[in-house]
Amino acid sequence: MAQRRMFSKKVTDTDTFLDMPLSTQALYFHLNMHADDDGFIDNTKTIQRMIGSSDDDRKLLVAKQFLLPFENGLVVIKDWRVHNYIQGDRYHKTQYINEKSQLVVEENNMYTKRIQDVSNMDTQVRLGKVRLGKDRKDILSGSEEPDQLSYKEVVDYLNEKTGSKYRSSGTKTKKLIKARFNEGFSLDDFRTVIDVKSKQWLTDQKMKQYLRPETLFGTKFESYLNENQVTSKPAMKNGGYGTR
């Protein structure tokens, strides 16, 4: 693996990058330094612990699309080829051939995820009935997902807390849950959102109808999650936190 890494100001001087906390920026630089010659990192959590970074820093990098995650925990630097050009005599091809095959290099040299064609996929799980001929193909039906995509656990918890009977096999529900996982949120984050909104809405005849996947797991998911941080702060006393 080449020992030198470069960084492009086209990425690191943008408002999107500089608006992130310094701890998140530091994690990004360290991940770049430890990536292989194609930009893949398989020990993100080890690097986090090494520099004292948090899961929130990693989640933010995913949410801002500085990192592209894979379902096995592997990540790749989206702007890797913007930053680095490695000469052929120093370049060592990544061992993550399958994950690299899922990427496309755009004209701006950024990685994006390839739209999978189910007719050519080498799947490791048994797929359910898939309808081809759509512009956008859904390959989730009937498939077994890794633990971090715990569709059934999320929906079962929602049903338990609200008394509802939603199915974890629904395509729309799976799409919403998968989108939030891909943004870096965890199973505990889903449980927290369900807990927070159930407490607020379950006894409200007007609002309890919104205790459903399309509302809870949609674009307001992060806002709902952060409501827990606001409501869990200690009460103010004498204009401050506690008294002397």
Side-chain angles (χ1 to χ4, degrees):
M1 185 173 73
Q3 297 301 307
R4 294 183 179 181
R5 296 292 181 242
M6 303 294 290
F7 295 92
S8 172
K9 288 185 177 181
K10 292 180 181 179
V11 177
T12 60
D13 273 6
T14 62
D15 286 342
T16 302
F17 185 84
L18 294 174
D19 282 346
M20 295 190 299
L22 290 177
S23 59
T24 308
Q25 296 180 38
L27 178 60
Y28 181 76
F29 285 119
H30 278 276
L31 290 175
N32 273 268
M33 293 302 298
H34 286 82
D36 67 17
D37 287 354
D38 285 303
F40 289 90
I41 309 109
D42 63 0
N43 61 340
T44 305
K45 290 186 178 294
T46 299
I47 297 171
Q48 285 178 219
R49 290 192 294 269
M50 181 179 69
I51 68 171
S53 184
S54 69
D55 283 340
D56 288 340
D57 292 317
R58 173 180 51 80
K59 290 177 182 178
L60 185 56
L61 289 173
V62 172
K64 297 291 186 181
Q65 295 192 338
F66 288 102
L67 297 179
L68 299 179
F70 294 88
E71 294 176 357
N72 60 2
L74 193 70
V75 298
V76 68
I77 307 292
K78 180 180 177 67
D79 300 302
W80 178 256
R81 293 171 66 95
V82 178
H83 293 309
N84 292 279
Y85 172 76
I86 301 175
Q87 295 180 356
D89 59 340
R90 297 181 178 178
Y91 168 74
H92 290 80
K93 187 176 182 179
T94 185
Q95 62 180 312
Y96 304 108
I97 305 302
N98 180 54
E99 287 77 14
K100 188 177 180 181
S101 70
Q102 299 175 37
L103 299 175
V104 175
V105 179
E106 300 288 357
E107 291 183 5
N108 57 9
N109 266 343
M110 294 181 183
Y111 284 135
T112 60
K113 290 284 189 74
R114 185 188 301 274
I115 298 176
Q116 298 283 355
D117 182 351
V118 297
S119 64
N120 294 323
M121 286 182 63
D122 181 17
T123 59
Q124 296 179 353
V125 297
R126 223 168 142 190
L127 295 178
K129 191 175 182 180
V130 179
R131 289 190 304 158
L132 301 179
K134 289 181 170 182
D135 291 335
R136 185 167 52 83
K137 301 176 180 64
D138 183 357
I139 64 169
L140 296 175
S141 179
S143 66
E144 295 178 2
E145 297 291 344
D147 290 341
Q148 63 264 35
L149 294 181
S150 307
Y151 301 112
K152 189 174 188 304
E153 290 185 49
V154 171
V155 176
D156 283 353
Y157 191 76
L158 173 61
N159 289 337
E160 177 186 338
K161 297 294 288 189
T162 64
S164 52
K165 296 181 179 179
Y166 291 107
R167 295 179 302 151
S168 60
S169 58
T171 300
K172 186 174 182 180
T173 297
K174 280 190 170 185
K175 179 182 175 183
L176 290 168
I177 295 174
K178 185 181 179 98
R180 303 292 80 80
F181 274 124
N182 283 346
E183 289 174 356
F185 296 104
S186 66
L187 179 58
D188 284 340
D189 291 333
F190 279 92
R191 289 171 176 156
T192 297
V193 167
I194 293 169
D195 287 341
V196 169
K197 303 316 289 185
S198 294
K199 185 176 180 181
Q200 294 175 356
W201 293 347
L202 193 57
T203 57
D204 187 318
Q205 293 301 313
K206 180 180 178 180
M207 298 301 295
K208 69 178 184 178
Q209 62 179 308
Y210 297 110
L211 291 171
R212 57 193 183 190
E214 55 262 47
T215 301
L216 298 177
F217 310 146
T219 56
K220 293 184 178 181
F221 183 87
E222 187 171 10
S223 298
Y224 294 153
L225 180 63
N226 282 302
E227 287 180 20
N228 184 58
Q229 303 299 321
V230 174
T231 57
S232 62
K233 286 184 177 179
M236 299 283 284
K237 294 183 180 180
N238 298 328
Y241 289 103
T243 58
R244 297 182 63 183

